[in-house]
């Protein structure tokens, strides 16, 4: 079974991030605009160059263009959507470069912009919180990361509903933080909740469900609840058997 930090889980997170960015674009298209043609052309040009360079893995060159775009964006006002969008783009590049402190500072700036522009419970604020929490988790600041994921999840529940698969991803992040804090007992009910959400969303026989089940099994094993852990490992194995057959690499686990 794939780990919850990568594979199917990672793909799902990327899809959700793309959806959030699409919604951000749709939201900003409805906002009133001041006429600033020169700045708009400069912003679009540098943003497009930055995006292309980023996609090609030319991170330093992309940073130069995105920072030009940020200067142009700020001419529209400190709380304009262009500012938050560009701050997030710069933060993502620093994250890819492994400069987590610098990435965090840009994501936190984006959060402040979006909170001022949209209020505390907007989907864009949730997206910023996810970015911040992921950095904090990578820095092993588990308590702060968990609190940030919990705040993001509260917004996600307002926006998406209590049983949306996005909530299971939020729960999985919180479980990771609890594991880092060695608070495994608290993680168990959250694991059960995310399994329930994903079974309702995808059905019993799905790779994500297998990942969730194996996550819970690993926690119960560490808590010496071996009987249930073994049952769950068998359940995950059977899901993968039905999905892939007996000769798939996942069956070796």
């Amino acid at each position: 079974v794939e780990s919850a930090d990568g594979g199917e889980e990672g793909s799902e997170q990327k899809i959700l991030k793309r959806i959030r960015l699409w919604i951000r674009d749709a939201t900003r298209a409805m906002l009133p605009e001041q006429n600033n043609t020169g700045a708009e052309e400069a912003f679009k040009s540098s943003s497009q160059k930055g995006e292309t360079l980023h996609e090609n893995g030319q991170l330093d060159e992309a940073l130069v263009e995105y920072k030009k775009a940020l200067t142009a964006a700020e001419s529209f006002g400190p709380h304009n959507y262009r500012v938050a969008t560009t701050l997030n783009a710069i933060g993502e590049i620093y994250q890819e470069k492994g400069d987590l402190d610098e990435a965090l500072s840009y994501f936190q700036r984006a959060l402040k912009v979006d909170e001022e522009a949209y209020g505390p419970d907007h989907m864009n604020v949730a997206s910023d919180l996810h970015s911040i929490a992921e950095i904090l988790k990578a820095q092993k600041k588990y308590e702060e990361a968990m609190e940030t994921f919990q705040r993001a999840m509260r917004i996600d529940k307002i926006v998406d509903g209590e049983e949306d698969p996005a909530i299971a991803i939020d729960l999985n992040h919180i479980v990771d933080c609890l594991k880092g804090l060695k608070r495994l007992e608290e993680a168990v009910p959250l694991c059960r909740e995310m399994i329930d959400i994903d079974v309702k969303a995808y059905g019993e026989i799905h790779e994500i469900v297998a990942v969730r089940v194996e996550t819970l099994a690993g926690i119960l094993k560490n808590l010496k609840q071996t009987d249930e852990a073994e049952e769950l490992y068998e359940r995950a194995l059977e899901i993968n058997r039905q999905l892939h057959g007996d000769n798939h690499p996942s069956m070796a686990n």
Side-chain angles (χ1 to χ4, degrees), residues 71-85:
T71 299
E74 287 171 338
S75 69
F76 290 90
H79 304 136
N80 186 271
Y81 70 83
R82 296 174 182 83
V83 176
T85 298

Side-chain angles (χ1 to χ4, degrees), residues 8-248:
E8 189 77 14
E9 175 80 7
S11 298
E12 191 173 88
Q13 287 177 322
K14 289 177 183 177
I15 292 169
L16 282 172
K17 191 166 192 176
R18 288 183 181 276
I19 291 171
R20 288 192 180 103
L21 290 174
W22 179 84
I23 294 172
R24 181 189 288 271
D25 290 342
T27 301
R28 73 193 191 189
M30 296 184 289
L31 297 175
E33 282 293 321
Q34 64 188 75
N35 187 14
N36 195 344
T37 305
E40 177 64 18
E41 289 178 356
F43 171 76
K44 285 183 177 179
S45 175
S46 292
S47 293
Q48 289 168 358
K49 289 177 183 177
E51 185 176 350
T52 299
L53 290 164
H54 190 181
E55 289 175 353
N56 291 334
Q58 297 173 264
L59 301 185
D60 291 331
E61 294 86 346
L63 273 177
V64 172
E65 293 300 330
Y66 276 134
K67 287 182 179 180
K68 290 179 184 177
L70 181 60
T71 299
E74 287 171 338
S75 69
F76 290 90
H79 304 136
N80 186 271
Y81 70 83
R82 296 174 182 83
V83 176
T85 298
T86 311
L87 288 168
N88 272 300
I90 295 170
E92 287 177 13
I93 290 179
Y94 278 117
Q95 185 175 8
E96 289 182 34
K97 287 168 63 71
D99 191 342
L100 299 186
D101 289 333
E102 196 69 14
L104 183 61
S105 71
Y106 277 92
F107 290 143
Q108 288 171 332
R109 286 172 63 186
L111 174 64
K112 289 180 181 179
V113 172
D114 281 333
E115 285 177 327
E116 289 290 336
Y118 302 111
D121 296 328
H122 193 273
M123 62 189 76
N124 290 358
V125 173
S127 180
D128 297 333
L129 289 167
H130 279 285
S131 297
I132 290 168
E134 286 171 11
I135 295 292
L136 292 169
K137 188 173 79 165
Q139 293 177 324
K140 301 187 186 305
K141 298 176 181 178
Y142 295 119
E143 192 74 50
E144 192 176 352
M146 182 169 64
E147 291 173 0
T148 307
F149 279 126
Q150 287 170 333
R151 182 181 167 196
M153 183 171 68
R154 182 181 62 80
I155 300 171
D156 286 339
K157 286 182 176 180
I158 293 170
V159 174
D160 300 319
E162 297 272 345
E163 296 184 346
D164 190 90
I167 307 305
I169 292 177
D170 292 334
L171 289 167
N172 189 67
H173 282 304
I174 294 168
V175 165
D176 284 343
C177 294
L178 288 169
K179 287 162 68 176
L181 292 166
K182 311 299 183 186
R183 289 157 55 180
L184 298 184
E185 293 86 353
E186 295 176 54
V188 171
L190 302 186
C191 286
R192 297 191 195 282
E193 184 178 352
M194 65 186 184
I195 290 170
D196 288 343
I197 290 171
D198 282 333
V199 167
K200 289 177 182 177
Y202 305 118
E204 175 69 31
I205 309 303
H206 194 281
E207 287 180 333
I208 286 290
V209 175
V211 170
R212 306 293 189 216
V213 169
E214 192 172 61
T215 297
L216 176 56
I219 290 172
L220 291 173
K221 181 180 178 181
N222 287 328
L223 290 171
K224 310 302 182 186
Q225 299 180 31
T226 54
D227 288 344
E228 186 179 0
E230 185 61 32
E231 290 175 4
L232 289 167
Y233 279 128
E234 288 294 331
R235 178 180 171 187
L237 195 65
E238 180 57 28
I239 292 171
N240 279 289
R241 180 179 289 111
Q242 292 194 41
L243 286 171
H244 304 299
D246 290 326
N247 297 321
H248 191 268

